[in-house]
Amino acid sequence: MKKIITLPSILSIDAPTIGLSWYIYFSNVYGIYPNPIYSLIIFGSIWLGYMSDRLFDSNNLKSKRILSARHAFALKYFYLIWFIWGIILISIAGICMFFLNREKIIACVALFFIVLLYHLLSQCLLKKSFIKELAVPFILALSIHLFLESETNITDFFNFSLICFMNCIFLSKVDQKYDAKMGFRSVTHIFKPKTFSYFYFCVLMYFLFTQSLLINPYIIITIIILFLHIIRIKLSREAIRFFIESSYYLVPLFFTLCN
């Protein structure tokens, strides 16, 4: 059971699945038919960024004695994964060149350089203070809204970035002790858990007052995070990660199917 729970995180397919599910959700909201090619590019691109981040982190570990399952997997199959990563990168680049118009290609190239800048900052220039919690939500939101063939709402971009930010800081706090032992540091580590309780509650209030419907993905996911934050001491780290990551792709898919 534990292997099944940790498998999406180990293979780094949890974040791509979340990105794809929200692309389908936003396509439904804007009355757009989800494009299969765009879906493939979104999934592959997010996996490339997510896995490269994992590989860089694993290779730069301060201590290799205490590893999470996902970092141990990345370190064990380091060169094989980089080989697969290169094949997928070439494949995604070929698909983009063949199927996308000039504007989309330029936007993809710009996003590629944004990811490179993120890696440069987090892995080289700011090793003592990770910017992951701020950068990852923004990059994930960009990768999805880039492929929405509609005039997207900036509020949706912000709201999606916000719940992704909550995911990042929540998991960062859950993994704080293990991250510290592996040599990782995050800005979230300086704050006490009570601070995040207030933050999650304020976000919940924000969504309650700004969303036209009381039952929507933003509110549901925020409630789940707040609940898991309260009972986190009763669950294992991997169980918490599984539940929160699952909610991030199951909730939007549920609302898409119900619409």
Side-chain angles (χ1 to χ4, degrees), residues 4 19 42 159 174 225 245:
I4 296 176
I42 288 172
N159 289 343
V174 169
I225 289 179
E245 298 288 12

Side-chain angles (χ1 to χ4, degrees), residues 212-225:
S212 57
L213 298 175
L214 290 180
I215 306 299
N216 63 75
Y218 303 117
I219 292 177
I220 298 300
I221 288 177
T222 306
I223 291 174
I224 291 173
I225 289 179

Side-chain angles (χ1 to χ4, degrees), residues 47 77 87 98 102 156 172 177 180 190-191 201 214 221:
W47 185 87
Y77 300 102
I87 293 175
F98 189 80
R102 185 169 177 271
D156 287 330
S172 178
K177 292 182 179 179
I190 64 176
F191 297 103
F201 182 76
L214 290 180
I221 288 177

Side-chain angles (χ1 to χ4, degrees), residues 108-120:
C108 287
V109 172
L111 182 59
F112 176 77
F113 280 105
I114 289 174
V115 175
L116 283 181
L117 177 61
Y118 159 71
H119 283 310
L120 177 64

Side-chain angles (χ1 to χ4, degrees), residues 10-25:
I10 289 175
L11 299 178
S12 295
I13 61 173
D14 45 353
T17 303
I18 291 171
L20 180 58
S21 64
W22 279 92
Y23 166 69
I24 295 173
Y25 170 76

Side-chain angles (χ1 to χ4, degrees), residues 8-9 12-26 39 42-43 46-47 50 136-137 140-141 143-144 160-161 163-165 167-168 171 221 225 241-253 256:
S9 177
S12 295
I13 61 173
D14 45 353
T17 303
I18 291 171
L20 180 58
S21 64
W22 279 92
Y23 166 69
I24 295 173
Y25 170 76
F26 283 126
S39 300
I42 288 172
F43 189 91
I46 294 176
W47 185 87
Y50 194 43
V136 169
L140 189 59
S143 63
I144 294 172
F160 178 66
S161 299
I163 61 169
C164 287
F165 175 67
N167 186 352
C168 289
L171 293 178
I221 288 177
I225 289 179
R241 181 177 289 274
F242 174 77
F243 283 123
I244 192 170
E245 298 288 12
S246 298
S247 68
Y248 266 74
Y249 59 80
L250 290 178
V251 170
L253 287 179
T256 301

Side-chain angles (χ1 to χ4, degrees), residues 6 8 19 32 37 68 74 77 101-102 105-106 125 146 160-161 192 205 225 229 232 234 246 253:
T6 58
I32 309 167
I37 298 298
S68 65
Y77 300 102
N101 58 33
R102 185 169 177 271
I105 291 175
I106 293 174
L125 302 179
L146 172 63
F160 178 66
S161 299
K192 296 181 179 180
M205 291 299 101
I225 289 179
H229 176 71
R232 68 188 184 283
K234 299 180 182 180
S246 298
L253 287 179

